[in-house]
Amino acid sequence: MESTEEILQIKHISKRFGGLQALDNISLTVKTNTVHGIIGPNGAGKTTLFNVITGMIQPDDGKLLFLQRELPFLQPHKLVPAGIARTFQNIRLFESMTVLDNVLIGQHVHTPTPVISILLQGKKASHWERVAYDEAMQSLEFVGLTPKSGEIVKNLSYGQRRLVEFARALAAKPRLILLDEPAAGMNPTEKAHLLKIVLQLREKGYTIVLIEHDMKLVMQICQTITVLDHGNNIAEGQPEYIRKHPEVISAYLGKGE
Ligand SMILES: Nc1ncnc2c1ncn2[C@@H]1O[C@H](COP(=O)(O)OP(=O)(O)OP(=O)(O)O)[C@@H](O)[C@H]1O
Ligand SMILES: [Mg+2]
């Protein structure tokens, strides 16, 4: 059951850093309820593309449509309400806070109570705090981190920290989740667990865009794969097509990967 609805349309996005064309007229469409892989050698522009989508970087050209509406650039705070959440290639967590607190931060935006009334512990605040808590715990349960909810993040393994980021993104109740190398630093057991989680999310109706270097994982999990190289979209299609694509093979062999 494959949807044809377009959740995200990236149209002619270009971004230059000084003399470097990090993204060169990139267009791609992500269909609803798919896992869409973005692969390519180091420096291909993959993370830059996520930074543009999430409003962290202003592109020189192009536009983005999310659910057929144009997304504003440079306004990351509008993304979670719009329905987009991400994880980072270099994990961004509050190391000295608990797992649960890190996840709560991901969805406080859905809490209509102003921070000041939460501080004053008004009746309304406690209701929304309870909702936020329940949602955070559900996300932690989904990624298998319930037993670690009270643990300080810095005591967790690298793979577990990646899952905390994942849970934080999920707690924001997004429609679209952007994962930047979620399997990096994970052992084979953790990778198998990650694969299961992503497949379950797709079954639940989420759409996932996945940047990943682990080809085996990408080929197993994605319906569509886009290949970037030097800021260009050099190939796009189903895993079987990408696996045999001559330009893709040479882009990887050229970098010794
Ligand atoms: N903020 C920035 N300022 C200057 N150059 C940047 C910036 N962000 C990225 N670049 C450059 O743009 C190019 C693309 O970087 P990007 O991080 O998007 O690559 P990537 O495909 O994610 O690579 P990797 O697989 O190593 O994560 C690189 O040459 C990088 O050095
Ligand atoms: Mg990157």
Side-chain angles (χ1 to χ4, degrees), residues 31-65:
K31 289 182 179 165
T32 306
N33 198 211
T34 59
V35 182
H36 191 124
I38 300 194
I39 64 169
N42 295 118
K46 305 181 295 296
T47 297
T48 303
L49 187 62
F50 272 17
N51 288 341
V52 169
I53 297 168
T54 55
M56 298 171 76
I57 282 180
Q58 166 104 45
D60 304 323
D61 253 311
K63 65 175 178 177
L64 300 170
L65 299 177

Side-chain angles (χ1 to χ4, degrees), residues 46-47 89 180-181 211:
K46 305 181 295 296
T47 297
Q89 184 170 355
D180 197 345
E181 299 198 25
I211 296 176

Side-chain angles (χ1 to χ4, degrees), residues 7 44 83 93 96 118 124 134 137 237 246 257:
I7 190 165
L93 292 170
S96 306
I118 289 178
K124 229 167 122 197
D134 288 346
M137 288 306 285
E257 287 184 32

